[in-house]
Amino acid sequence: MIFIVYWAVLNMLFHFKMKKIKGTLTTVEAPQRVKIDTTFRQNKLTYSNYWFLIHIAIIVAIAIISILNYKALPNVIPMKYDLQGNVTSSVPKTYLSVLAINLVQLGIIALMMLVNWSIKTSKQQLTPSNPAQFTADHIRFRRKWSLFTIITGLLLTILFAFIQMNMFVPNLVLLTGISFIIPVLIVLGAVWLSLTGRQGGGKIRNHREDRERSKEQPVNDDNYWKLGFIYYNPNDPSLTVEKRYGIGWTINFARPLSWVLFLFIIAIVVISIVLSQ
Amino acid sequence: MIIQLDMQSELPIYSQLVYQIIEGIASGELQLGEALPSVRNLAADIGVNLHTVNKAYTLLKQDGYILIHRQKGVVVNPDGMPGLTDDFLKKQQTELRPIIAEAICRGMTKEELSAVLDQMYDDVKMGHNKE
């Protein structure tokens, strides 16, 4: 929470600072061109959402195993352990408390399918210079993050499956190992992807490309970026656009459907937290 | 094909779209029967209203440059381009007349104007972008 406030304040501080600096700069009368590749949408931009069927199959299988072995469970189920392996919190046995974890998982998978879908439908944003070359890089960028989403989903499914199986066959060493390794793998994967490629595709450092990029002016859409990071453009039918900085996508807050997406994401997070307590 | 739109031009976006697509067909960058993005996709990618793209596509369809299938989507007319109709020739003359008049006022000779036309004809056909 403190981090979010800190981030927001820092962000706004530099946003206004930047705005001031930009106002003092001389503007060049260069045309601002939007470039669109007409064949872009014919390419395979992401991996299919059908891959998530594997995840769902695992979740359903684990849920069925849990129901079949319901009687074997103790009346009180341990939920959390401290580092010594002592139970720090537990819940009475009900079907809901046993299957809560599956519901959370399905919610997470739904979220990931949504992310994968938005990577696919997100606005085409090509650099003004050398758009043809950039299209190829950009497609690779989308596919890479789509694959990352699917693999992350699978790793999380495996993690949850182990947590749930631990109720029946307690093996604290294995569980501790897995719940350490999987989050580390996911974070390392994200760090690696972020360090090896830039937002929108292409290499982090490419001097030739940088020189080409600086020749033409990108479209000035400052007015649509409220406080520098909230995209609000009523004229743009896109639901998702690339973030202005960092890596990833954000939503167009001017579209009502974006708000539905936004609330859905928050709902899944909140429900997950409530169910896990 | 890469479509380029100047967002600050006085020429409306839909006209720019129409011209770009016709030029794409003229240069061969767009093949007969080639698929074009759907109205929704193109509008989202450019970041303009759906009506803008719809207007451009409707105009192109009326002139016979593209077909809009309900299932297959938007394609460059696979049966070939519309011919030299009387309507087109009339339209062309009304559009060219003021251009010629202006050239004469500014002292351009017939040969100079023809040279410009010649050059541009080749440029469009070769697919050189007007930059």
Side-chain angles (χ1 to χ4, degrees):
Chain A
M1 198 65 208
I2 294 168
F3 177 75
I4 294 173
V5 173
Y6 173 73
W7 177 82
V9 169
L10 204 66
N11 189 77
M12 263 136 78
L13 212 71
F14 278 94
H15 168 66
F16 288 118
K17 220 170 174 176
M18 202 66 140
K19 221 171 169 180
K20 226 162 137 189
I21 295 172
K22 201 171 177 185
T24 62
L25 296 176
T26 48
T27 49
V28 189
E29 283 299 319
Q32 295 180 8
R33 290 210 185 85
V34 168
K35 302 197 180 180
I36 298 296
D37 189 337
T38 53
T39 60
F40 184 72
R41 299 266 164 209
Q42 290 160 24
N43 291 292
K44 199 168 93 91
L45 298 176
T46 56
Y47 294 92
S48 164
N49 258 348
Y50 285 122
W51 284 106
F52 285 104
L53 285 177
I54 297 173
H55 307 50
I56 293 168
I58 295 175
I59 296 167
V60 171
I62 297 283
I64 290 171
I65 293 172
S66 305
I67 293 168
L68 291 179
N69 292 300
Y70 184 74
K71 285 210 182 74
L73 281 176
N75 283 328
V76 177
I77 306 170
M79 293 299 277
K80 279 183 194 148
Y81 301 90
D82 64 13
L83 286 173
Q84 273 80 44
N86 302 313
V87 178
T88 55
S89 94
S90 53
V91 289
K93 177 170 88 168
T94 59
Y95 275 106
L96 182 66
S97 67
V98 172
L99 295 180
I101 198 161
N102 299 112
L103 297 176
V104 170
Q105 268 180 293
L106 286 177
I108 291 173
I109 296 303
L111 199 65
M112 298 212 142
M113 289 170 88
L114 194 72
V115 168
N116 197 31
W117 172 81
S118 69
I119 291 176
K120 184 171 150 191
T121 53
S122 164
K123 189 191 189 69
Q124 180 187 155
Q125 284 157 291
L126 306 180
T127 52
S129 54
N130 207 351
Q133 152 72 37
F134 186 72
T135 307
D137 284 342
H138 185 65
I139 291 167
R140 228 169 288 133
F141 171 75
R142 289 199 193 207
R143 280 203 211 150
K144 199 168 76 173
W145 283 98
S146 165
L147 187 64
F148 177 72
T149 309
I150 293 171
I151 291 177
T152 301
L154 188 63
L155 287 175
L156 285 179
T157 308
I158 291 169
L159 172 63
F160 280 115
F162 270 99
I163 292 174
Q164 201 165 357
M165 280 302 100
N166 196 59
M167 290 179 190
F168 301 99
V169 203
N171 185 341
L172 214 53
V173 179
L174 185 65
L175 183 68
T176 316
I178 293 229
S179 40
F180 173 75
I181 289 170
I182 285 185
V184 167
L185 273 182
I186 293 171
V187 171
L188 282 182
V191 169
W192 184 68
L193 283 187
S194 312
L195 291 181
T196 53
R198 64 167 124 200
Q199 166 82 314
K203 291 199 186 76
I204 290 263
R205 269 178 213 290
N206 185 340
H207 293 296
R208 194 178 61 87
E209 201 183 306
D210 284 341
R211 242 175 294 126
E212 279 175 6
R213 277 186 192 222
S214 57
K215 267 193 301 200
E216 274 193 74
Q217 241 191 127
V219 173
N220 184 351
D221 55 359
D222 284 357
N223 289 340
Y224 300 130
W225 287 93
K226 308 297 174 199
L227 296 175
F229 66 99
I230 298 168
Y231 188 64
Y232 185 94
N233 182 359
N235 297 321
D236 188 347
S238 296
L239 289 179
T240 49
V241 295
E242 269 170 34
K243 278 201 238 170
R244 237 184 169 189
Y245 53 83
I247 286 195
W249 290 265
T250 185
I251 59 175
N252 181 3
F253 280 92
R255 301 245 74 84
L257 195 58
S258 300
W259 281 94
V260 176
L261 287 184
F262 187 60
L263 292 177
F264 177 72
I265 292 168
I266 291 185
I268 286 184
V269 173
V270 170
I271 291 170
S272 305
I273 292 172
V274 170
L275 275 179
S276 64
Q277 254 152 33
Chain B
M1 180 210 178
I2 306 279
I3 292 179
Q4 305 188 13
L5 302 165
D6 185 347
M7 301 313 269
Q8 286 163 329
S9 166
E10 282 173 24
L11 199 63
I13 304 284
Y14 77 87
S15 307
Q16 291 187 47
L17 255 179
V18 167
Y19 295 157
Q20 287 270 314
I21 289 173
I22 295 178
E23 213 178 303
I25 301 171
S27 68
E29 268 186 282
L30 289 174
Q31 301 286 322
L32 295 187
E34 187 175 328
L36 291 170
S38 70
V39 173
R40 175 164 289 278
N41 280 340
L42 191 54
D45 284 345
I46 303 170
V48 292
N49 207 294
L50 295 177
H51 300 303
T52 309
V53 176
N54 222 342
K55 198 164 174 182
Y57 275 176
T58 309
L59 288 171
L60 284 166
K61 186 186 153 190
Q62 275 170 6
D63 289 343
Y65 289 108
I66 62 170
L67 292 181
I68 302 177
H69 287 290
R70 199 159 287 181
Q71 263 104 42
K72 276 188 264 174
V74 186
V75 291
V76 179
N77 198 340
D79 309 326
M81 290 296 112
L84 283 172
T85 56
D86 286 344
D87 278 352
F88 168 75
L89 289 172
K90 224 177 267 168
K91 190 183 115 197
Q92 192 184 47
Q93 281 186 8
T94 47
E95 279 170 0
L96 274 177
R97 226 180 155 83
I99 294 173
I100 294 168
E102 214 173 350
I104 293 170
C105 285
R106 289 173 187 253
M108 213 174 186
T109 64
K110 206 178 194 174
E111 286 70 34
E112 280 167 341
L113 187 62
S114 297
V116 169
L117 205 63
D118 238 39
Q119 178 66 44
M120 228 174 225
Y121 189 98
D122 292 343
D123 273 357
V124 169
K125 209 158 184 189
M126 297 289 288
H128 291 162
N129 274 318
K130 32 173 191 188
E131 293 204 23

